[in-house]
Amino acid sequence: MKIEVRGLTKKFGSGTAVGDVSFVVHEGELLGLLGPSGSGKTTVLRLIAGLEIPTAGDIFIDGKRVNDLTVQERNIGFVFQHYALFKHLTVFDNIAFGLKIKKWSRRDIEQRVQELLALMSLEGLGGRYPHQLSGGQRQRVAIARALAPRPAVLLMDEPFGAVDAKVRQELREWLIRLHTDLNVTSLFVTHDQEEAMEVSGRIIVFSKGKLEQAGSPADVYEEPATEFVARFIGSMNIVEGVVRREQVQVGSLEFPAPGFPDGQKLQVGFRPYYLKVAEDPTRYRQQAKLRHIYFLGVAYRLEIETADGLILRSRMNKEEFRRCHFTVGQAVSFAVTHFRILPQEGATAAIGSETGTPITGPLTP
Amino acid sequence: MRRVLIGIVWFYFLVLLVGPILYLANQSFSQGIEAFWTEVTRPEALHGFTLTAEITVIVLVLNLFFGTMTALVLARQQFWGRGLVSGVIDLPFAVSPVIAGFMLILLFGPDTLLGTFFGQAGVKVLFALPAMILATLFVTFPFMVRELTPLLQTLGTEEEEAARTLGAGEWQVFLKVTLPALRWGLVYGATLTVARAIGEFGAVLVVSGNILLLTQTATLHIYQSYVDFNYVAANAVALTLLAVSFAILTVLEIAKARAETTVAEAGAQ
């Protein structure tokens, strides 16, 4: 079922947790709400669930306005950050809870719970109590419990937040498979950009109660609409300079900025893998000193410092790194092969609009 | 040093607790089991036991209800004067029961507004069951609240919210989630309340008037027998009450252990 929110606003006392947010979750989609803690993403989830009452705005589930429906009437499944399993009930009774409330017959309950136990790889654990389960198992019980009454939508608050890194990876893959199998419209909240990228079909980035950008993981990564998104999603070098003759000047670096007036301050961002570094000082035009080499497992990160004191990060795959013979402290040459002029602070994210068409482009070395 | 400390604890324990209990038991049966039985089953003693049981049951029921309600309000609601209410709840621990009884006498005395009101309505409050219940309520009120409030705070509201998202109405949430989560705390609070209600003496003495076969509870009967030099009666009834209290304490210890694991589990999740 489709979820839609329009102009959703929530104020707590004098603070605004969510300010005028609108977006759509399409039928069968798995959408991630991404943002740092305190960005209002959990509040959005709770508003959709009916656990909080909006100050303004409308919520639609399956095309029907649900503002006036109680949480009980909204037919949603909610997975809490710390699972909130009923400690005094067994796994079976936890999953059966919603079915008993909805007065399913004993046989139907038995059948549905067994079906979910199998689906969640929890066979044989029906008689256990929550404290006898591992973190990953608890999380799956929480999802099973939320799915049992066949909700219209599934809402998950930091579903992987409370388990350790290895289990988290397994759970992510498992959740993607589960979503593919069940195809229930799902919305989940996370502060982990990597997780949002991997799990969601589409991402909505939040900051300070505002929607920053909505798009596919690739869109959000490659074309960040705001400086916040650029900084928050993945790693990005961000430098600031002043426009002179349609060029942003950042020390000895120059980035074309056609159409921008002289004297305007602009921020330019480029991903570390668009920063090419060579040990041959004549290979590229720009000069710098290699400050540090970080081994990242799958790749290397080089930190260089230009003569103007700019510190930039470059990412290099292992093969390329092995071909070069870097030593910390040596002189290197570098070039930026791809960059983006970032929308200014205060300006709205206007991809493709007339006023704020983002300028991206390769730079000739 | 360690031995000395352990020795002191043992000495203290024997002199203050075990000694008196053994002596009491010995004295109770000094005239033989038959005398013990006669004293325990004489009408005055039986009436005392019954009255104590009545007061205890009524007080327990009222405290279960109002104590749970107060704890829920204190743990979950933010309101003006919350700190004041929370602080005053402990007052009965600090105030002597005799003073509690005295306050009731002043409040319901024949010259006061309340006293006049109940007097005209034909309800006898002082020197009757109502005042004895009120006095016992006063001294036992903090137990339930103090037991449940921290438990509720540790539990938080997520489980209740989870129940709501699964379609449970407010009563279902309370009966199926909140109450079961509080069960060991309730047992613990109830045991403390019962133990205190059975043993209450000062407050009840002041408001009851200690009228034989009317307002004389078990503890008042012990006191009266002692004053009347009927030591066997005093010892026998005292030993019976002691046995009841011991049984209650045993239940309490079991409940405490369970409540602690429940809280530990809640904390671990």
Side-chain angles (χ1 to χ4, degrees), chain A residues 46 72 76 86-88 102, chain B residues 159 161 165-166 168 176 180:
Chain A
R46 291 174 61 87
Q72 290 89 351
I76 49 106
F86 305 125
K87 293 184 229 5
H88 63 285
K102 294 196 166 69
Chain B
E159 282 185 44
E161 287 186 334
T165 64
L166 292 165
K176 290 180 181 238

Side-chain angles (χ1 to χ4, degrees), chain A residues 54-304:
Chain A
T55 313
D58 295 309
I59 301 159
F60 301 86
I61 295 177
D62 199 22
K64 207 174 92 189
R65 189 173 175 275
V66 296
N67 282 48
D68 302 323
L69 295 184
T70 63
V71 52
Q72 290 89 351
E73 295 163 337
R74 288 194 194 185
N75 193 25
I76 49 106
F78 201 103
V79 177
F80 288 81
Q81 186 174 1
H82 301 289
Y83 317 139
L85 296 178
F86 305 125
K87 293 184 229 5
H88 63 285
L89 297 181
T90 60
V91 168
F92 186 99
D93 288 331
N94 263 281
I95 299 173
F97 190 90
L99 307 178
K100 283 181 185 157
I101 296 283
K102 294 196 166 69
K103 301 207 161 37
W104 283 33
S105 77
R106 189 189 288 250
R107 249 188 45 218
D108 290 348
I109 291 176
E110 174 75 29
Q111 198 185 338
R112 178 71 175 149
V113 175
Q114 292 304 343
E115 186 186 315
L116 282 160
L117 286 174
L119 186 68
M120 305 286 153
S121 322
L122 292 166
E123 292 104 331
L125 297 180
R128 297 265 186 98
Y129 282 91
H131 67 92
Q132 297 169 315
L133 301 177
S134 72
Q137 288 169 337
R138 283 180 202 168
Q139 206 255 7
R140 298 205 298 272
V141 174
I143 295 181
R145 183 179 67 177
L147 285 174
R150 303 188 197 283
V153 297
L154 181 63
L155 308 172
M156 293 173 278
D157 187 7
E158 297 276 4
F160 313 105
V163 288
D164 57 62
K166 190 174 180 312
V167 178
R168 197 177 310 160
Q169 185 57 38
E170 289 169 15
L171 282 171
R172 283 182 198 169
E173 288 161 14
W174 173 82
L175 183 70
I176 296 166
R177 278 201 305 278
L178 181 77
H179 181 258
T180 314
D181 292 349
L182 300 179
N183 210 29
V184 57
T185 307
S186 310
L187 185 58
F188 78 100
V189 153
T190 180
H191 65 272
D192 182 340
Q193 42 109 359
E194 213 175 286
E195 185 170 292
M197 296 275 201
E198 185 176 339
V199 177
S200 13
R202 219 153 51 89
I203 295 178
I204 289 179
V205 186
F206 270 84
S207 164
K208 294 178 188 151
K210 296 274 187 203
L211 193 155
E212 294 275 333
Q213 186 173 6
S216 72
D219 285 348
V220 174
Y221 190 76
E222 297 294 348
E223 315 215 324
T226 64
E227 185 201 339
F228 173 81
V229 178
R231 285 187 189 274
F232 192 67
I233 309 279
S235 168
M236 193 176 244
N237 292 296
I238 294 176
V239 293
E240 195 179 72
V242 179
V243 179
R244 199 176 307 143
R245 275 177 274 113
E246 304 205 318
Q247 300 261 354
V248 186
Q249 310 272 342
V250 187
S252 60
L253 290 167
E254 287 180 341
F255 301 91
F260 286 96
D262 273 16
Q264 189 176 358
K265 252 191 194 164
L266 284 179
Q267 280 185 321
V268 175
F270 46 95
R271 298 278 178 206
Y273 52 81
Y274 289 136
L275 179 74
K276 301 296 176 201
V277 180
E279 51 174 344
D280 176 2
T282 60
R283 170 89 182 272
Y284 300 115
R285 203 177 73 196
Q286 302 290 341
Q287 304 299 312
K289 201 176 103 180
L290 183 59
R291 272 172 49 112
H292 213 290
I293 299 169
Y294 299 92
F295 177 56
L296 304 178
V298 294
Y300 285 88
R301 190 170 84 213
L302 309 182
E303 197 178 87
I304 59 169

